[in-house]
Amino acid sequence: MTIPEISLEFFPPRDLEASFRLWDTVQVLAPLGPRFVSVTYGAGGTTRDLTRDAVATLHKHSGLTVAAHLTCVNATRAETLAIAQGFADAGVRDIVALRGDPPKGAAGFEPHPDGFANSCELIAALAEAGPFTIRVGAYPEVHPEAPNQQADVDWLKAKLDAGATEALTQFFFEAETFFRFRDACEKAGIDAPIVPGILPIENWKGVSGFARRCGTSVPTWLDEAFTAATRDGRQDLLATAVCTELCSELIEGGVDKLHFYTMNRPELTRDVCHALGVTPKAQLENVA
Ligand code: FAD
């Protein structure tokens, strides 16, 4: 089986304890040789400074390629581009460019009167201000605001045409979901890499609730399996098995890159990667 390349997503720590947890996570996962690690930007732009600091620190001290998430929410164009320039000044040239989620409690996305109206505008401005490597989000089960899958795929194509070079997907639970989406993208003439987003399931109650909120369907078999495993205290085993199986099916279907939503916890991602052959040793052999 092909050994996949991986990338890892973190969120910026809010306090000292969380900073140590993130750093421990980085220490455990860095030897797996990720293509890049990315740091999210809180909903509503709430973690602007924390994201900037985490990105700069990781870039300076981890030796990894760091990508900064950047959204259009609650900021003027000039402010958003100044943040991007700040990343570039710190030596960070990889950006995950997003429209962004609105602040908690808001009905939906409202562009700032002087801000970017949507992700395509942000991507085009970054491409012009560049050089940046720009990645974007993609939605195998259709973004909740898209009228249908065709419109969603057409919009993804517009984001790539505006200057992005790769898409990272929302998480999903069944490989077929990704393959159907990949086929639709191919049919629409998209030839950029579409990298599956993988969410190792740390806590089923939290993950299934989050999935329902963002339009990811929750298969009945998975819900039943976690209900039984939680009752028997073996949810960690199940989580590793389920995630490894999903990744294996994706790889068998031709996927060679995976993007892990680590939630700043290293164990599950590490165990799944090891099961897939992504080990410190495999990375050394790749370099040799
Ligand atoms: P877009 O793809 O621009 O828009 C979402 C959908 O709405 C599109 O698929 C399209 O169907 C429709 N749409 C929007 N505008 C138009 C238009 N003008 N014309 C036609 N259709 C349109 N959120 C954060 O706040 N911070 C993060 O760090 C963050 N990281 C993420 C990382 C990944 C990999 C993913 C997949 C999502 C992330 N999100 C993050 C969530 C994301 O911000 C939300 O899903 C948001 O609602 C959409 O952002 P987007 O850039 O993907 O939107």
Side-chain angles (χ1 to χ4, degrees):
M1 194 171 75
T2 308
I3 297 180
E5 291 187 280
I6 61 161
S7 50
L8 307 167
E9 188 168 305
F10 305 128
F11 57 83
R14 283 184 183 276
D15 55 34
L16 193 60
E17 192 189 337
S19 300
F20 276 105
R21 185 168 342 119
L22 172 57
W23 192 245
D24 285 347
T25 302
V26 171
Q27 295 298 306
V28 172
L29 298 178
L32 302 179
R35 290 193 297 145
F36 66 90
V37 298
S38 75
V39 181
T40 60
Y41 200 81
T46 44
T47 66
R48 191 178 301 179
D49 295 344
L50 296 174
T51 299
R52 184 198 57 209
D53 293 349
V55 163
T57 305
L58 282 174
H59 173 71
K60 198 165 161 202
H61 298 290
S62 72
L64 301 168
T65 299
V66 182
H69 292 216
L70 184 61
T71 75
C72 309
V73 180
N74 258 349
T76 66
R77 285 165 184 256
E79 285 165 347
T80 306
L81 289 177
I83 294 166
Q85 187 55 47
F87 291 137
D89 293 343
V92 172
R93 290 283 181 184
D94 287 54
I95 293 195
V96 181
L98 301 141
R99 187 201 67 186
D101 278 330
K104 254 193 188 139
F109 174 75
E110 266 297 328
H112 186 288
D114 298 318
F116 292 109
N118 56 55
S119 55
C120 276
E121 286 191 6
L122 170 64
I123 294 157
L126 289 173
E128 202 182 309
F132 287 112
T133 298
I134 305 168
R135 297 183 176 87
V136 293
Y139 299 88
E141 295 186 77
V142 184
H143 189 277
E145 290 165 54
N148 53 54
Q149 187 177 59
Q150 190 57 50
D152 212 19
V153 169
D154 290 345
W155 184 248
L156 173 60
K157 185 163 187 327
K159 295 198 289 189
L160 292 161
D161 290 345
T165 50
E166 186 172 283
L168 309 170
T169 79
Q170 182 62 280
F171 69 95
F172 52 87
F173 294 118
E174 292 185 307
E176 248 336 287
T177 307
F178 177 79
F179 294 139
R180 272 196 301 272
F181 178 63
R182 189 179 61 181
D183 289 349
C185 290
E186 224 171 272
K187 215 165 133 197
I190 292 174
D191 53 12
I194 313 284
V195 181
I198 306 294
L199 179 63
I201 300 166
E202 291 281 350
N203 167 327
W204 177 243
K205 203 166 163 234
V207 165
S208 55
F210 181 52
R212 289 188 179 99
R213 285 197 297 283
C214 58
T216 296
S217 36
V218 176
T220 308
W221 65 264
L222 191 62
D223 198 26
E224 288 173 357
F226 268 100
T227 304
T230 306
R231 192 185 52 220
D232 301 344
R234 53 181 172 77
Q235 57 273 42
D236 287 358
L237 267 181
L238 180 68
T240 310
V242 159
C243 190
T244 304
E245 192 54 31
L246 171 61
C247 294
S248 302
E249 285 177 26
L250 290 167
I251 294 164
E252 272 165 28
V255 165
D256 60 1
K257 295 180 182 64
L258 298 167
H259 181 71
F260 283 92
Y261 294 105
T262 71
M263 308 307 285
N264 293 12
R265 295 193 178 274
E267 295 83 8
L268 258 178
T269 299
R270 178 202 56 203
D271 292 350
V272 170
C273 285
H274 284 184
L276 298 172
V278 183
T279 61
K281 187 166 157 282
Q283 297 312 325
L284 287 176
E285 280 165 4
N286 280 346
V287 172

